[in-house]
Amino acid sequence: MGASHSGPDTRELRELSEKTGFSVDQIENLNRRFQQLSKNKETLRREDFDKVTDLDVNPIRAQIIEAFFDKRNYSGMQTGPVEEINFEQFLTVMSHFRPLKARMTEEQIASLRKEKLQFLFNMYDIDADGKISLEDYRHLVEDLLSRNPHLGKESASVTSIADAAMLEAVTIIKGQMEPHQVYEGMTFEDFVKIWEGIDIETKMHVRFLNVETPHFCK
Amino acid sequence: MERALSILYFVVLLNATLAGASDSSKPDGHGSDSSGGHNSHDSGHGEGHSPDGLQIVSFKWHHVEAPYIIAVWILVASLAKIVFHMSHKVTNVVPESALLIFLGLLLGGVVWGADHSASFTLTPTIFFFYLLPPIVLDAGYFMPNRLFFGNLGTILMYAVIGTVWNAALTGLSLYGVFLTGIMGPLQAGLLDFLLFGSLIAAVDPVAVLAVFEEVHVNDVLFIIVFGESLLNDAVTVVLYNVFDSFVAIGGENVTGVDCVKGIVSFFVVSIGGTLIGIIFALLLSFVTRFTKHVRIIEPGFVFIISYLSYLTSEMLSLSAILAITFAGVCCQKYVNANINEQSVTTVRYTMKMLASGSETIVFMFLGISAVDPNIWTWNTAFILLTLVFISVYRVIGVVIQTWLLNRYRMVQLEIIDQVVMSYGGLRGAVAFALVALLDPEKVKERNLFVSTTIIVVYFTVIFQGLTIKPLVSWLKVKRSEHRDPLLNEKLHGRAFDHILSAIEDISGQIGHNYMRDKWAKFERRFLSKLLMRRSAQKSRDQILNVFHELNIKDAISYVAEGERRGSLAFIRSASTDQLVNVDFSTQRPSIVDASVSALLRGNPSSVCLDMQAIEEKRKSVRDKEDTLSHHVLQQYLYKPRHQTRHKYSRHAITPNTEDNKQEKEIFRRTMKKRLESFKSTKLGVNYSKKSIKNYKKDSGRCKKKKKSVALLNGRISWGIDNPTFISDENVMVRPAIPPWLSNEDTVVPSQRARVQIPWSPNNFRRLTPLRLSTRSVDSFQMADGPVPEHPRMTLPEGTHL
């Protein structure tokens, strides 16, 4: 790790900390990681993620990496992919996985939950049209099951699982649908409804440490 | 209620008889009855003098005494359960364990009255060898692994540190109070008190299970308390043995080396016990890999090998509870994958039965054993103080540990959780058995300890058991929500795991997910290959499992629904019989032996698709069952129409000559066609409904192999209405709408519309065939025609859906 990188200075750190909710130590830690991945450049590109070897076995690798480069995950309202991201954007994406702090108010919890769900939604909604359609679901299921060597990509079971899952989801959302109703895809509100009973905010988090941890991919 | 009373009366009478009988036959070496007196079976014969002539009937009590008594006690316990559950009001308030203790007290009184000696007590041998293993095995086998290992750190902390804390403090405080003389003269030293502390400190798995079972707190809380109660066995065993031997050696001779040895023995005992459990689990998994041909006795292996792990560990003086727990925990995945479904069910129910039965007997005997004036020693101060100390120290211990743990836990444990945890620290039969094991020579105050233990156990089980339910609802503890597993949950859960792992990898940190991933990789590469059957390996994806279960459930409910609505009407058409013949086979009369439909309709149907052929071929009993269920489903789902003649020949369909696949394919297509007709008549076919039903039939059809067949998707549908989901390129788009469809009153969407309309789901869980179109449109027979062109997908054999 070269010493010539210019990390954010303290003032910036504090700003970032406020914006993303990480502590200053955590931000520094992540910055080090960022530098490592980006080879001390200012921005990170998709290829840099190849360095993370453990990701190779991850079936939804592509979607996750895309999520980093997806404008929807930054606080703006833009959509579309970007080619490279800087540290702030990196942090913003990471911040979706913050764990709950000990004393959060109800609304903070609710907003955090919404953020996380939005992140998930964006990840599933590949074509970024604001809806998760059956196609998207299918892609997801295919990816998830792609590790199983006995299920080909085109396998019928994959599609049927996706269909069944979609059906289930829609049943939850809309209850019984009349046969003539058309259902185009899940919007974000629908998506949220599915997760009503399940406290995603406690499940979807990664513990970001304050101390430097050994890095496993060089 | 009179029934209950009469059963109770009968039970009591039985006991009196037994008591009398056993008592009377005790001194006598012969089978003949002595003048016991209470013997209601009069001893007219065999009075000691040899009978003259041939005895037509003889009364041989002695012959059957031991097993008879055991059997009667088990019967009594079970009858008691029936009696209790007759009154819902009572069982809602009072936990069953408490009721059983009361009954035990009552019976103990009866026995005492009849006998003036405690004939039946809970001896440690019986408890530790026969009654405890099933309960613990059941707990381990059904332990939710992910929860358990996810919270393992917490559980271990409470189990080890918490128990040591409790034991030490309780023992020391009691000793301290003793020194002040309040307790009066007791022949006990520091070591005795520490010994007592160690056996009274441990939370008891049996009691926790019994009480928490009825309370339904949320999963995390339950697993923490329950896990603690299981894992603290190692600590208890070590402490107990250490102090027991210290007491035997005598307090003065204890050296520092002995203390060190004690600490070392803790690690040896716990890790050794765990290892033994794991070894036996591996052995069991490995064995079940080969039991394909001995399916009937498959369940037996589970029990025998697990029990052996318990005994082995006990033999090596390691922690037996840990061994059998981990045996259950580790083997469940592989055993469930390897043995066939009926065996899984058998194992589950047998285990539950044994565990529940054992629990009942344990609590009842806890009651009975108390009625023994010989052991009663009352020392108010001691008893009261024990109660106070264990409660107080538990609370303090829980609070401190939680505070420590919360700094490392993702999901914090709140005050309410801590209250439940402290309150849920029940003592039970293990403590009692341990105290009964004490040697009165070495531990002079054994009787006092026994009495105190009994009181403590009663207090926790009865009082705390009674009040925990209102407490839980008063505190609004989060309850466990038992929902059916949602496919979405599994899907998204899996997606989560991957996402989280990825984030961890990207951020370069090692976390839970990283470890879990690594373990999963290792497990998949080595363990599964070794321990799981080949067929199971392919199909053991969790998502697929849930899908499978959901499908089966839906299919079952579909059939049930159909039956309920008396939907036989739609299959009663006479034309059924002729229409469904498959060309390739001669018109066989259907020989649906005991199919439900036949019973209901009184005349056999002649639904004979390829199923017939299959039936002929495979005559095994199990296959008959499968075909049975298929027939049933066929009856209900099949609605023939006059116009449609179903003509297809097996040979025309598939170029593939492999029988199995062919038949499956045929069958699947057949049913698929059938099921098309059940979807909503408008758009948006409930595609998965079809596939579900398809699947169900297929799965039933599959022999006991856990093969399932890939579900057809719309690609293989021949112009069937809704190629909606066939959005892929290689859709076989049938330009012509088949004739039977055009008769429908339905709006068949245009191609474009079809593609755009994703769903119009009907609730597939409430399929009501009668509600569909009024005509028997459901009969669409298999499309003939362009089948051969269709690129047959290779069915992923053995994909376990």
Side-chain angles (χ1 to χ4, degrees), chain A residues 7 21 23 34 41 75 92 103 146:
Chain A
S23 78
F34 183 82
K41 294 201 301 280
S75 3
T92 315
R103 286 160 296 279
S146 61

Side-chain angles (χ1 to χ4, degrees), chain B residues 83-98:
Chain B
V83 170
F84 293 150
H85 283 281
M86 282 188 186
S87 156
H88 273 286
K89 275 187 291 189
V90 175
T91 42
N92 264 343
V93 174
V94 184
E96 206 182 273
S97 34

Side-chain angles (χ1 to χ4, degrees), chain B residues 141-212:
Chain B
Y141 196 78
F142 294 106
M143 179 86 76
N145 271 358
R146 187 151 168 159
L147 261 184
F148 180 65
F149 286 109
N151 288 301
L152 191 61
T154 313
I155 293 179
L156 275 178
M157 174 120 180
Y158 283 119
V160 178
I161 313 267
T163 313
V164 171
W165 162 277
N166 278 336
L169 278 183
T170 310
L172 287 173
S173 336
L174 282 174
Y175 182 62
V177 173
F178 168 67
L179 285 180
T180 67
I182 302 187
M183 292 187 198
L186 292 176
Q187 303 176 26
L190 172 64
L191 285 173
D192 297 274
F193 283 106
L194 282 175
L195 176 60
F196 179 69
S198 70
L199 62 87
I200 201 84
V203 178
D204 183 78
V206 182
V208 165
L209 259 183
V211 169
F212 271 66

Side-chain angles (χ1 to χ4, degrees), chain B residues 279-346:
Chain B
I279 293 178
F280 275 87
L282 290 178
L283 179 66
L284 174 61
S285 316
F286 192 65
V287 165
T288 53
R289 190 174 163 189
F290 303 108
T291 55
K292 194 159 151 195
H293 299 286
V294 288
R295 292 218 170 102
I296 296 291
I297 62 170
E298 254 177 341
F301 284 110
V302 177
F303 293 101
I304 293 289
I305 298 188
S306 315
Y307 190 49
L308 273 181
S309 78
Y310 184 87
L311 291 179
T312 310
S313 183
E314 187 74 30
M315 172 177 77
L316 299 173
S317 76
L318 303 171
S319 164
I321 293 189
L322 276 187
I324 201 173
T325 305
F326 277 99
V329 161
C330 297
C331 81
Q332 44 165 272
K333 175 171 173 190
Y334 303 107
V335 169
N336 282 338
N338 280 344
I339 64 183
N340 72 326
E341 297 209 8
Q342 269 109 338
S343 296
V344 171
T345 312
T346 308

Side-chain angles (χ1 to χ4, degrees), chain B residues 569-751:
Chain B
F570 70 90
I571 47 175
R572 201 174 285 131
S573 71
S575 51
T576 315
D577 299 354
Q578 283 93 28
L579 282 186
V580 201
N581 291 327
V582 180
D583 271 357
F584 66 89
S585 60
T586 57
Q587 283 243 5
R588 307 165 206 251
S590 84
I591 323 158
V592 184
D593 347 5
S595 84
V596 173
S597 61
L599 290 172
L600 292 173
R601 296 197 305 170
N603 54 311
S605 73
S606 63
V607 184
C608 56
L609 294 181
D610 44 314
M611 276 313 297
Q612 297 289 344
I614 301 165
E615 248 183 338
E616 298 298 312
K617 277 191 190 174
R618 311 180 208 140
K619 291 291 186 187
S620 80
V621 175
R622 270 175 259 115
D623 290 328
K624 277 229 176 75
E625 283 176 19
D626 290 340
T627 61
L628 211 55
S629 54
H630 281 295
H631 279 294
V632 170
L633 286 174
Q634 283 174 22
Q635 313 307 328
Y636 288 103
L637 298 174
Y638 179 61
K639 217 175 180 184
R641 281 190 56 183
H642 279 276
Q643 294 91 309
T644 61
R645 297 236 56 178
H646 156 80
K647 277 191 186 49
Y648 68 15
S649 82
R650 151 202 281 192
H651 304 291
I653 287 192
T654 60
N656 192 330
T657 53
E658 197 190 296
D659 278 342
N660 248 348
K661 286 195 175 148
Q662 239 177 26
E663 284 158 0
K664 278 199 205 121
E665 182 69 33
I666 296 171
F667 184 67
R668 211 177 325 122
R669 291 178 189 177
T670 310
M671 296 322 297
K672 191 172 174 349
K673 284 295 183 178
R674 294 245 177 85
L675 295 174
E676 308 285 357
S677 56
F678 280 101
K679 59 188 180 271
S680 137
T681 53
K682 312 288 179 153
L683 329 153
V685 174
N686 184 343
Y687 178 70
S688 58
K689 248 197 305 194
K690 288 183 285 206
S691 11
I692 287 166
K693 283 180 235 126
N694 270 343
Y695 176 62
K696 164 60 179 161
K697 293 179 197 43
D698 286 328
S699 70
R701 261 191 76 197
C702 297
K703 294 174 271 192
K704 288 321 164 196
K705 295 191 248 181
K706 279 192 153 186
K707 282 200 293 189
S708 64
V709 183
L711 297 176
L712 289 184
N713 73 2
R715 279 175 227 151
I716 313 187
S717 75
W718 308 294
I720 286 298
D721 347 290
N722 218 331
T724 313
F725 302 118
I726 315 164
S727 40
D728 316 314
E729 308 65 37
N730 49 347
V731 164
M732 300 281 298
V733 176
R734 314 264 168 233
I737 298 179
W740 53 89
L741 271 189
S742 54
N743 288 338
E744 277 191 42
D745 311 324
T746 70
V747 173
V748 179
S750 70
Q751 289 293 54

